[in-house]
Structures are given as C-alpha cells and as structure tokens.
Amino acid sequence: MTDDTNRGALDGFVEKLTAMTPEDDAHEVYEAWAPSYEADLVGGYGYTAHRIAAEAMAAACPDRSASILDIGCGTGLVAEELTARGFTAIDGLDASPRMLAEARAKGVYRNLVEGDVRSRGAVEPGRYDAVIAVGVFGAGHLGPEDLECFARPVRAGGPIVLYSSALRWDADDYPSYLRRLEAERVWTVEQTRTSNYMDRIERPGWLVVARRSGGAVGG
C-alpha cells in the first residue's frame, strides 16, 4: 500500500501526522490529541506497536527489575505493556505535558519527566539499564540523525528497543545510520524486522533491537 493510500484510510489526528513533512513539528498535535489518543489509535485503528516493542524488550531484558526509560512515552501505553510483562522500574520522558498528564494518571511509572531526548540535560548518561521508544520517528518527529540520542541514557550492555513507522524508513535511509552507529561502537544491532502495527489498516513499521556498546555518543 502506498503512502497516499494509507492517508486515504486515515482521518483526524492520525491523518494530520501522516501528512506532515520533515519541516513540521508534531508537538501541538499531540497536545490537542492527548485526551482521545488511545481511543483513536487502539480503539479506532487497532494500534499494536506498543505491544510489539514490549515483547521485544521482554525477550532482550530478562531482568524484570531493570530500570527502563520509555522515551516519547505519551499516555503510557508502552509502560502498561511492560508492567504486564513483569517490569517494575519504568520512567517516562515526553515533550507533551498533556500526554504526560494522561500517563501519570495510570500509575505505571516511577518518574515522569517533561523534556526532549535531544537535549543533553534531559537524561543523565548511562543512568538506565534499558531504553524503549515507540512512535517517535518520522516527519514532524525525530529523524535518523537522532538515533544516537537513544543510546546515551543506557549502560553498556543494555538493550535499546525502537519501533518506527516505515513511511520514511527508506526515504531517510535509517539503515545507513544504524550501520554508522555500529561502526562507531555506539551499539550493536541485534535485530531489525518489519511488521504491520495497526490491525484495521495496512500500516508497516520497523522494529530495531540494539545493545549498547562502549563507544561515546556525540552531539
């Protein structure tokens, strides 16, 4: 299914996000969307990316007491899935106050922080055993040039689980950025695979599972 066909199957906030260009900023969309975010995505489209990523983290991180940072945590869908799989120490980071308010009401996070992962002051380097991020890449969001930011908070040896829409995966050449970070010993990529992440329409995405190496993170 082409991008244009995907757009034709969408409406509301999902359509707005899908139509964004790399020059756009999705922040205001998420602020307005927060109260109906889960009803629209999960109820309306059968969104499953949070479950796919949580399953990958459960396989990559057997220690259920591991400290995990959920970057771009939104309303807490990922943390709910991690909690259901036995994880007990989850912090969240997001740039949208209204999304964080929805997440806070669930009681599934130890700490919630408003901030941008691209800011060096947002998270202490090497503080967490693992990082997970779902739905934070794409036009109007973060790009492949920001991938190394997701390695900064992780201790050496810790897993990094990312799930991205495939709409700009090839156009923005994500694979070359993944390979560059491997060459720089920022991480080792253990798995990449594609899957559909909305049950009710065709919506392809990419799962990336990497493990933090000892190389320094720039930026």
Side-chain angles (χ1 to χ4, degrees), residues 8-211:
L10 303 172
D11 58 20
F13 292 110
V14 178
E15 184 178 23
K16 287 181 181 179
L17 291 176
T18 303
M20 282 188 167
T21 70
E23 291 73 36
D24 292 325
D25 186 342
H27 179 78
E28 292 304 319
V29 173
Y30 284 108
E31 281 287 276
W33 194 12
S36 62
Y37 178 80
E38 294 186 19
D40 290 348
L41 268 189
V42 180
Y45 294 102
Y47 179 80
T48 60
H50 55 309
R51 296 194 187 103
I52 295 168
E55 288 172 5
M57 180 60 79
C61 185
D63 180 6
R64 295 305 192 257
S65 67
S67 60
I68 300 176
L69 179 62
D70 178 9
I71 296 175
C73 64
T75 61
L77 286 172
V78 169
E80 286 184 304
E81 293 295 327
L82 292 173
T83 299
R85 287 160 178 78
F87 291 100
T88 59
I90 310 162
D91 291 349
L93 175 72
D94 201 282
S96 167
R98 294 191 72 186
M99 285 282 189
L100 288 171
E102 297 289 329
R104 189 171 290 109
K106 293 181 175 179
V108 290
Y109 291 99
R110 293 185 311 179
N111 303 293
L112 285 166
V113 177
E114 181 184 339
D116 187 329
V117 69
R118 291 170 293 189
S119 169
R120 276 195 169 270
V123 185
E124 180 184 345
R127 177 177 177 180
Y128 290 93
D129 296 316
V131 154
I132 190 167
V134 179
V136 300
F137 296 102
H141 297 68
L142 302 181
E145 67 278 4
D146 302 309
L147 279 166
E148 63 185 337
C149 298
F150 296 83
R152 187 178 294 128
V154 188
R155 298 184 180 99
I160 302 161
V161 174
L162 311 173
Y163 198 93
S164 169
S165 166
L167 292 179
R168 295 201 58 84
W169 183 265
D170 293 325
D172 292 341
D173 198 10
Y174 277 78
S176 72
Y177 285 85
L178 294 172
R179 290 192 297 269
R180 178 178 66 81
L181 293 175
E182 278 202 293
E184 294 174 359
R185 297 189 64 252
V186 170
W187 62 28
T188 299
V189 176
E190 297 184 338
Q191 177 187 168
T192 59
R193 64 178 171 88
T194 189
S195 59
N196 200 58
Y197 68 95
M198 289 187 180
D199 288 343
R200 296 175 190 172
I201 63 170
E202 184 180 339
R203 189 74 164 179
W206 278 96
L207 173 73
V208 176
V209 180
R211 198 162 296 273

